[in-house]
Amino acid sequence: MKQRLINVAHNLRGLGVAKIGSYKAYVLMGGIFALAILLAIGAATFAVRGIEHVVARDAHAVLAESEIDWAEVQTDGLLLTLRGEAESEAARFRALSAVSTVVAAERVIDDIQVAPSMEIAAPRFLLEILRNGLDVSVIGLVPTSLDTDGIIARIEAIDPEISVVNMLETASHPVPFGWDRAVGFGLEALASIPASKISISADQVEVTGLADSARQRDEMRDKLMRQRPRGLIASINISAPRPVLTPFTLRFVIEESGARFDACSADTSEARTAILRSGRAAGAQGIIDCTIGLGSPSPRWQVAATESIDALGALGAGSVTIADTDVSLVVPNSVSAEQFDRAAAELERQLPDVFSLDAQRLSPADGEGLDRDEDAIEFVASRDSDGIVLLRGQLTDERLRDAVYSMARTEFGLNAVRINARLDPDLPGGWPVRAMLAIDTLAQLEHGQVRVRADRFDISGVSGDASASDTISRAVAEQLGRGAVFNLNIRYDERFDPVAMRPTPARCEAWITEVLEEQQITFDPGSASIVSGAGRVIDKIAEILRDCGRLEMEVAGHTDSQGRLETNMRLSQQRAEAVVAALSARGILVSEFVAEGYGPEFPVADNSTASGREANRRIEFRLLGESAAEATQERTGDAPDTEQDTAETRDEADLEIVVTTGAGEQPRPPERPER
């Protein structure tokens, strides 16, 4: 038993020793493991620090190589942060691109600030030119590279006496697109308008000017619109102030052929409306032009004019002329004496105090009109349609004959005047004044006749000036004085009106069509070579186009149906191109011309006959694009509802003469397909 207890004790002691030994081993192994971890962490940290150092060193190196000294580099393991203030986005991008050669772009953190831009935006260049006759001021801001001396030289070339004050400032920025063409157009406008302000920017030109008359205003406006470069915005505002009328004249006539105004003046738009209303009530028809101007002798001009017209309308025949404050009422012998006396007395009571009336009832002999005895005392100045002037009748002496002859040669040309006047010293008083007035009046007619007699002054003829009757009436009334008896029969013909017949797209197309109707452009058989005789046709077309300016136009070639279609199509195209080339060789701007060959597609005659085939072999000109749109608007322009509306609603500062072109719209081939 005792021995057994001893054995158990020995066993327990052995077990305890073993356990104690195992614990020590565990402790030792844990310590070794912890030490290994610490060594690993230390090694990793050292390695990371080494990598960061290398990355930072290389990043600094590439930044220094790129001369980027503003950027700061910070590393955090495999990440690289760039900080600093870049002068621009371009500088920021350059720094990021540089470090991306060292570290992958996805590991670069961008913490760069871009400095606010201090770059000054390009200014708005503006050139303003002020012209008052021979005095010109140039003001504005222009590019430094602009040839300002050249601009000043072009302005000085307008007139040898012109004086230019240069107040231009410059800025060192690029010249804007379109600047050169805008300046060129602005200088053309300056040369055309003596009183003007021209504002020029790269994309727009504003023209403000003053014209002497509505006619001159229209001519200036039309010329500038033709010269305007395509794509350039042009604002053209040319005003025509009221003219000063001397004397202030009104003449209303009632004859068998109807009633009309030979001259009409008004001081206000209200007066104009009232005068025209009275004239229409007395029988005047059609479009009536009544000039609103300055110089009225009385604020009650409207009353004097309307009462005088109403009085003549009640009499039914004769004429009433007002020159300033002198009113002359002349009626034929067919008006009864009782009716004449009553109307004259009533008119004298109705006229404002400042106006005076001279009323005449012609004797039977005076009422014979233009049926004259060849032996009657008279002086006649006539001009035929060829421009030949014939002077005949009686003049007082050689001095007057020489003066009349010299004046006529000055007006009409040295070789255009023929004189066949005999001398009579016993002619009525004032005859020299009447003879010289006859020459001056005839010069305002395209062709016609002026007949001078002691008791009357008769003018008849054709003029291209729609206001010729008004102008001539005013001059005759002023020269002949109160109570003068004169008769006007002046017909307006737009063919002689330079404004009405100014080149427009529609007219240019019609004029070319007329030339081709007289003679076609012909070619050698089977060839695109223009025959020598057709050169004259191209010369005529070139002359038209030279005046018409820039146009968008198609030159179309057509053939008959003989031969292969492919050959005809090719030949028609080549012929159209040959015509365009011929026009270009004559100095015509053809950059916007299109040559198109249509072969036999659009015949205008029967191809089964020789004459029909000849008609089908042709060249045609047709407007395109904006030019065609302008022509359509011109042909179908907004017409007023009535002639009366036209006459009574036109603006007093913008009176225009309404005319109809003689050419009309030409027949056109079938509509062509777009290609």
Side-chain angles (χ1 to χ4, degrees):
M1 183 68 175
K2 181 179 179 181
Q3 188 62 39
R4 212 182 257 186
L5 290 172
I6 293 171
N7 290 338
V8 171
H10 280 293
N11 290 336
L12 289 173
R13 186 169 58 246
L15 183 60
V17 171
K19 286 184 177 180
I20 292 172
S22 176
Y23 177 75
K24 288 181 178 180
Y26 285 136
V27 172
L28 179 61
M29 291 176 62
I32 294 171
F33 184 72
L35 180 60
I37 291 174
L38 292 175
L39 290 174
I41 292 173
T45 302
F46 179 78
V48 169
R49 295 298 182 202
I51 292 172
E52 290 178 348
H53 174 73
V54 171
V55 169
R57 182 195 64 196
D58 292 346
H60 281 113
V62 296
L63 291 174
E65 185 177 343
S66 301
E67 298 181 352
I68 300 174
D69 56 2
W70 52 265
E72 298 178 3
V73 177
Q74 291 184 356
T75 56
D76 184 8
L78 297 179
L79 299 178
L80 183 146
T81 302
L82 271 182
R83 290 189 174 89
E85 186 175 76
E87 61 181 4
S88 64
E89 284 291 341
R92 168 182 166 275
F93 179 76
R94 194 155 52 89
L96 292 173
S97 299
V99 299
S100 295
T101 62
V102 177
V103 180
E106 60 269 18
R107 301 211 305 270
V108 178
I109 298 175
D110 178 11
D111 194 19
I112 300 173
Q113 303 298 319
V114 178
S117 176
M118 301 299 292
E119 182 179 349
I120 300 176
R124 181 175 182 266
F125 292 117
L126 180 65
L127 173 62
E128 290 196 338
I129 310 176
L130 308 177
R131 181 183 177 190
N132 183 14
L134 298 178
D135 296 325
V136 176
S137 299
V138 185
I139 310 168
L141 181 66
V142 299
T144 303
S145 58
L146 183 69
D147 182 13
T148 54
D149 292 338
I151 292 177
I152 301 301
R154 288 185 61 180
I155 296 174
E156 291 175 339
I158 295 173
D159 192 295
E161 302 299 324
I162 210 162
S163 174
V164 181
V165 178
N166 185 355
M167 293 182 283
L168 288 176
E169 297 181 0
T170 61
S172 182
H173 287 275
V175 177
F177 174 76
W179 179 260
D180 291 337
R181 68 174 183 174
V183 170
F185 176 69
L187 293 180
E188 290 176 355
L190 184 75
S192 302
I193 311 175
S196 58
K197 174 187 176 184
I198 315 296
S199 299
I200 304 170
S201 58
D203 58 350
Q204 183 172 359
V205 175
E206 296 182 7
V207 179
T208 304
L210 192 64
D212 293 335
S213 64
R215 185 183 186 88
Q216 186 187 56
R217 176 204 61 203
D218 295 340
E219 291 175 349
M220 289 177 175
R221 184 186 297 162
D222 182 70
K223 177 182 177 182
L224 291 178
M225 290 308 296
R226 292 202 311 269
Q227 292 176 340
R228 176 182 62 88
R230 292 194 182 277
L232 178 67
I233 300 173
S235 172
I236 301 175
N237 182 17
I238 303 175
S239 60
R242 294 183 184 180
V244 178
L245 305 178
T246 306
F248 222 70
T249 307
L250 182 141
R251 178 174 170 82
F252 189 72
V253 180
I254 301 179
E255 297 177 329
E256 291 183 2
S257 58
R260 69 177 188 276
F261 281 94
D262 281 342
C264 183
S265 304
D267 53 348
T268 65
S269 58
E270 293 78 9
R272 177 180 179 274
T273 301
I275 291 170
L276 295 183
R277 185 178 296 116
S278 292
R280 293 188 185 281
Q285 298 180 352
I287 297 174
I288 305 172
D289 185 28
C290 191
T291 304
I292 300 176
L294 305 176
S296 170
S298 168
R300 304 196 66 193
W301 171 265
Q302 172 185 334
V303 176
T306 55
E307 291 293 342
S308 299
I309 295 171
D310 292 345
L312 184 64
L315 293 172
S319 67
V320 61
T321 305
I322 309 176
D324 285 339
T325 58
D326 295 330
V327 181
S328 175
L329 176 66
V330 180
V331 299
N333 188 260
S334 58
V335 176
S336 68
E338 179 183 357
Q339 188 182 14
F340 168 72
D341 292 339
R342 184 171 60 251
E346 179 65 21
L347 176 59
E348 194 165 20
R349 284 195 300 270
Q350 297 296 333
L351 286 175
D353 292 340
V354 70
F355 291 88
S356 60
L357 174 65
D358 179 22
Q360 298 182 46
R361 178 173 174 264
L362 300 177
S363 64
D366 293 327
E368 292 177 358
L370 295 178
D371 296 332
R372 310 200 183 273
D373 184 358
E374 290 297 327
D375 296 328
I377 298 175
E378 64 180 11
F379 173 73
V380 180
S382 61
R383 186 185 187 192
D384 63 22
S385 57
D386 294 327
I388 302 301
V389 175
L390 176 62
L391 309 176
R392 64 180 178 84
Q394 293 89 35
L395 295 172
T396 54
D397 52 38
E398 290 188 4
R399 291 177 57 189
L400 178 58
R401 183 166 59 185
D402 292 342
V404 168
Y405 185 47
S406 297
M407 181 179 181
R409 296 179 75 188
T410 301
E411 291 284 358
F412 306 107
L414 298 178
N415 300 319
V417 181
R418 312 284 187 270
I419 187 166
N420 185 20
R422 56 191 175 87
L423 304 182
D424 185 352
D426 298 324
L427 294 174
W431 199 260
V433 174
R434 290 171 171 257
M436 301 296 279
L437 180 59
I439 303 300
D440 186 59
T441 302
L442 185 65
Q444 300 182 57
L445 303 177
E446 191 66 29
H447 54 81
Q449 176 180 277
V450 181
R451 185 185 297 268
V452 179
R453 297 194 71 187
D455 57 347
R456 60 187 300 141
F457 202 87
D458 295 308
I459 304 119
S460 61
V462 175
S463 173
D465 183 357
S467 61
S469 291
D470 186 272
T471 304
I472 292 173
S473 294
R474 188 171 290 111
V476 172
E478 181 179 22
Q479 292 291 328
L480 300 185
R482 178 180 178 181
V485 178
F486 60 95
N487 180 65
L488 279 77
N489 183 17
I490 301 174
R491 179 172 59 86
Y492 168 70
D493 191 333
E494 68 176 8
R495 292 178 299 171
F496 305 114
D497 188 339
V499 174
M501 295 305 291
R502 67 188 184 273
T504 63
R507 290 196 183 103
C508 291
E509 184 183 41
W511 292 338
I512 293 173
T513 301
E514 289 175 3
V515 170
L516 293 176
E517 286 176 348
E518 292 179 3
Q519 182 182 350
Q520 260 292 337
I521 301 172
T522 53
F523 302 82
D524 291 332
S527 168
S529 299
I530 301 173
V531 300
S532 57
R536 291 190 296 272
V537 181
I538 297 181
D539 289 339
K540 291 180 181 179
I541 295 175
E543 189 65 28
I544 293 171
L545 292 173
R546 195 168 288 113
D547 293 333
C548 292
R550 188 188 301 270
L551 290 175
E552 293 180 70
M553 183 164 277
E554 176 191 79
V555 180
H558 300 270
T559 66
D560 57 32
S561 61
Q562 290 187 327
R564 297 178 57 197
L565 176 61
E566 296 81 359
T567 302
N568 285 331
M569 295 295 289
R570 182 174 62 255
L571 184 60
S572 62
Q573 178 68 34
Q574 292 172 346
R575 288 179 172 177
E577 292 172 352
V579 172
V580 174
L583 292 172
S584 178
R586 287 162 171 79
I588 302 303
L589 183 64
V590 295
S591 59
E592 298 187 55
F593 279 34
V594 176
E596 192 69 59
Y598 292 99
E601 289 185 72
F602 300 100
V604 293
D606 188 356
N607 274 308
S608 64
T609 65
S611 59
R613 291 191 295 272
E614 182 179 358
N616 289 331
R617 296 191 294 268
R618 68 194 189 279
I619 293 290
E620 292 181 338
F621 286 72
R622 184 171 69 103
L623 294 171
L624 300 173
E626 293 183 12
S627 298
E630 291 178 22
T632 301
Q633 184 177 5
E634 179 185 349
R635 295 186 183 110
T636 62
D638 295 331
D641 293 337
T642 66
E643 293 177 341
Q644 181 170 354
D645 291 340
T646 302
E648 296 185 359
T649 59
R650 283 177 289 175
D651 185 84
E652 61 189 66
D654 291 307
L655 295 178
E656 297 178 356
I657 304 302
V658 180
V659 297
T660 305
T661 60
E665 185 172 358
Q666 300 296 324
R668 306 199 55 77
E671 193 66 24
R672 296 174 182 148
E674 295 294 334
R675 292 198 174 194

